[in-house]
């Protein structure tokens, strides 16, 4: 009987030292011995990437992105080579491949390159020889054969891209936590590991702090590649991320539940007041922000009163000064009354596919925040998420209150 083709990914903590590399090699060997074809993508050991960035910055104030990529890629090259050695030590035939050898082709946007194609010819050939293939995560190469990196945390992306290109049964992401939690366990002691979440939910959870790089989830959703997130240090079942259509009966029953509470710190808000209500105003404001590379998160525009409207949007805390600098002259130009910025904010969100078309959730969220004496600064929603902007100092209290209000500690 032909085994499955598995793509596994091991994060930096899981390969943090020699002992842990041996532990992971044992797990890969077990999957291989089970008759599966195994491709394992590895991250750099522990804090290697951060250390390399510090090292670069101790030499050059503003290192050239191309040089930085060549340097940073070495982190994953090290763990990839060591993992292959560890496997051969225990009698498993393994081959280590860099991103280029594994066929990860990217554009030339150094530091956060996009994958343009994956050509897994070499990977397939090695699998056909019966070998375990270890792939260095996070790195790719351009048409010119320059080394690129895919952005922080992007070994996840390498793994999902590999799984999609190979048509793997699923992508298994092994990390130092047991899966996707109902909330950050550091903030909520009785947070629980979710059995499964949809891609959409995971995208919301990922973009609000829970781990896994968001681009990797988008890619998994696009190719309908199921992703299992589990611990490399235990045998707990982990969380399966997959399409809502394939959800099991058990998961269907919890359709009407909020699945998680997420939060973010370090949010800032810019409010442009009394903007004349005419076409082109939003474009005039947000185009220069985009051009200046200020990434805008949530945008809220009021219904206008007397042809004037308020427009608020959020940016990352550290971007506040720059955002104001760019937006202030535009605000004056379009005839707005004034512009103000406020830092020191955070956000709390409830997430769940089951919230679609169910009006009770918002009210319950606001009641819970009221009872916890948390003031709401701004509210935004998507189909499966309700987010409240709150003072940063109240974020943790708000998260705990919501986790309680939606009874997330209870088993599904
Ligand atoms: N080593 C890279 C980083 O620290 C990529 C990764 O770990 O996924 O961002
Ligand atoms: Mg990671």
């Amino acid at each position: 009987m032909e085994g499955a083709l598995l793509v596994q990914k091991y994060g930096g903590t899981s390969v943090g030292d020699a002992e842990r590399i041996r532990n992971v090699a044992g797990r890969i060997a077990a999957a291989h011995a089970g008759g599966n074809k195994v491709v394992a993508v590895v991250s750099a050991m522990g804090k290697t990437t951060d250390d390399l960035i510090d090292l670069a910055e101790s030499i050059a104030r503003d290192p050239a992105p191309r040089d930085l990529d060549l340097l940073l890629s070495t982190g994953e090259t090290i763990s990839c080579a060591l993992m292959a050695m560890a496997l051969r030590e225990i009698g498993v035939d393994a081959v280590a491949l860099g991103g280029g050898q594994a066929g990860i082709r990217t554009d030339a946007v150094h530091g956060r390159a996009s994958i343009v194609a994956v050509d897994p010819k070499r990977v397939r050939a090695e699998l056909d020889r019966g070998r375990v293939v270890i792939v260095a995560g996070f790195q790719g190469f351009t048409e010119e054969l320059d080394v690129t990196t895919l952005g922080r945390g992007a070994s996840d992306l390498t793994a999902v891209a590999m799984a999609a290109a190979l048509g793997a049964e699923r992508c298994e992401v092994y990390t130092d936590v047991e899966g996707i939690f109902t909330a950050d366990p550091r903030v909520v002691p009785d947070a629980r590991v979710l059995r499964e979440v949809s891609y959409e939910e995971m995208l919301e959870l990922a973009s609000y702090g829970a781990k896994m790089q968001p681009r990797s989830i988008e890619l998994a959703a696009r190719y309908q590649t199921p992703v299992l997130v589990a611990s490399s240090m235990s045998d707990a079942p982990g969380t399966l991320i997959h399409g809502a259509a394939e959800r099991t009966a058990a998961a269907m029953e919890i359709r009407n539940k909020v699945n998680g509470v997420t939060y973010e710190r370090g949010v800032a808000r810019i409010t442009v007041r009394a903007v004349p209500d005419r076409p082109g105003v939003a474009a005039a404001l947000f185009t220069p922000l985009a051009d200046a590379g200020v990434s805008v998160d949530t945008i809220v525009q009021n219904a206008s009163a007397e042809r004037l409207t308020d427009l608020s949007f959020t940016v990352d805390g550290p971007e506040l000064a720059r955002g104001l600098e760019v937006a202030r002259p535009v605000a004056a130009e379009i005839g707005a009354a004034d512009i103000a910025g406020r830092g020191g904010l955070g956000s709390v969100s409830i997430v769940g596919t089951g919230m679609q078309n169910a009006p009770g959730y918002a009210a319950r969220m606001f009641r819970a925040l009221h009872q916890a004496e948390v003031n709401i600064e701004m509210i935004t929603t998507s189909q499966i998420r309700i987010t409240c902007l709150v003072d940063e100092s109240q974020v943790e209290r708000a998260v705990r209150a919501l986790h309680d209000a939606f009874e997330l500690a209870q088993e599904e």
Side-chain angles (χ1 to χ4, degrees):
M1 221 182 58
E2 186 81 348
L5 199 166
L6 293 179
V7 173
Q8 303 188 327
K9 181 253 169 179
Y10 292 92
T13 313
S14 301
V15 298
D17 56 33
E19 179 62 35
R20 288 185 172 172
I21 288 177
R22 274 195 292 269
N23 166 57
V24 167
R27 298 178 74 102
I28 295 173
H32 182 68
N36 302 302
K37 292 185 168 176
V38 186
V39 177
V41 175
V42 290
S43 286
M45 295 170 69
K47 296 253 165 292
T48 302
T49 308
D50 292 324
D51 293 344
L52 289 171
I53 291 173
D54 288 347
L55 184 59
E57 286 173 351
S58 73
I59 300 231
R61 215 169 351 112
D62 195 11
R66 184 180 176 279
D67 295 340
L68 199 57
D69 269 0
L70 191 57
L71 179 71
L72 296 191
S73 70
T74 61
E76 270 68 12
T77 304
I78 290 171
S79 32
C80 177
L82 291 174
M83 190 60 72
M85 291 177 200
L87 279 158
R88 269 193 297 276
E89 273 305 293
I90 53 174
V92 178
D93 192 9
V95 60
L97 299 180
Q101 293 167 306
I104 309 281
R105 282 186 36 212
T106 75
D107 60 20
V109 184
H110 286 286
R112 50 187 165 86
S114 297
I115 297 176
V116 294
V118 179
D119 174 11
K121 204 167 51 226
R122 176 75 186 273
V123 174
R124 279 219 177 82
E126 298 291 356
L127 289 172
D128 289 344
R129 280 182 201 127
R131 287 181 170 155
V132 167
V133 180
I134 311 297
V135 174
F138 181 54
Q139 49 174 268
F141 73 116
T142 68
E143 221 166 345
E144 317 255 63
L145 305 184
D146 281 338
V147 173
T148 52
T149 65
L150 309 174
R152 295 309 304 267
S155 291
D156 291 341
L157 189 65
T158 305
V160 172
M162 230 349 124
L166 291 167
E169 213 103 317
R170 67 180 187 188
C171 182
E172 302 177 345
V173 174
Y174 291 101
T175 167
D176 52 351
V177 289
E178 301 212 323
I180 309 304
F181 284 80
T182 50
D184 183 343
R186 288 167 305 186
V187 174
V188 183
D190 56 359
R192 191 172 46 77
V193 173
L194 290 157
R195 220 86 53 74
E196 47 191 331
V197 295
S198 66
Y199 296 119
E200 294 75 18
E201 285 167 341
M202 185 57 202
L203 217 43
E204 298 286 5
L205 295 169
S207 41
Y208 284 89
K211 285 192 214 159
M212 262 203 84
Q213 198 236 19
R215 275 160 68 203
S216 68
I217 305 294
E218 282 166 20
L219 196 69
R222 189 153 2 112
Y223 288 91
Q224 292 292 302
T225 305
V227 179
L228 178 79
V229 181
S231 167
S232 66
M233 292 150 202
S234 81
D235 291 318
T239 306
L240 188 65
I241 310 166
H242 60 169
E246 303 145 47
R247 300 188 101 186
T248 61
M252 293 305 283
E253 281 172 25
I254 58 153
R255 263 188 57 77
N256 279 327
K257 277 198 69 178
V258 166
N259 241 347
V261 179
T262 63
Y263 69 94
E264 210 175 17
R265 291 195 179 90
V267 178
R269 180 184 55 196
I270 295 178
T271 302
V272 189
R273 280 201 333 101
V275 180
D277 188 9
R278 57 178 151 76
V281 158
L285 188 62
F286 291 108
T287 307
L289 285 165
D291 291 345
V294 176
S295 109
V296 169
D297 191 14
T298 310
I299 303 173
V300 176
Q301 185 187 317
N302 272 354
S304 62
E306 280 153 36
R307 322 215 53 180
L308 295 175
T309 179
D310 290 351
L311 223 154
S312 291
F313 55 95
T314 62
V315 297
D316 280 350
E319 301 253 86
L320 175 59
R322 177 111 187 85
L324 278 172
E325 191 187 308
V326 174
R328 185 166 281 126
V330 185
E333 218 168 278
I334 58 180
D338 71 56
I339 178 167
R342 177 176 170 202
L345 293 167
S347 71
V348 288
S349 305
I350 55 173
V351 175
T353 321
M355 296 195 309
Q356 282 175 42
N357 315 317
Y361 288 94
R364 204 158 142 200
M365 178 178 193
F366 305 151
R367 270 200 310 276
L369 292 176
H370 175 205
Q371 273 157 21
E373 290 176 28
V374 173
N375 187 45
I376 302 170
E377 299 282 338
M378 190 160 118
I379 301 165
T380 57
T381 62
S382 80
Q383 285 211 337
I384 64 163
R385 170 176 58 80
I386 305 173
T387 300
C388 293
L389 216 61
V390 303
D391 196 273
E392 196 164 19
S393 65
Q394 301 187 321
V395 163
E396 297 203 357
R397 183 145 44 101
V399 170
R400 281 190 285 267
L402 294 171
H403 199 266
D404 276 355
F406 290 97
E407 300 172 346
L408 293 179
Q410 267 86 301
E411 204 33 70
E412 288 154 22

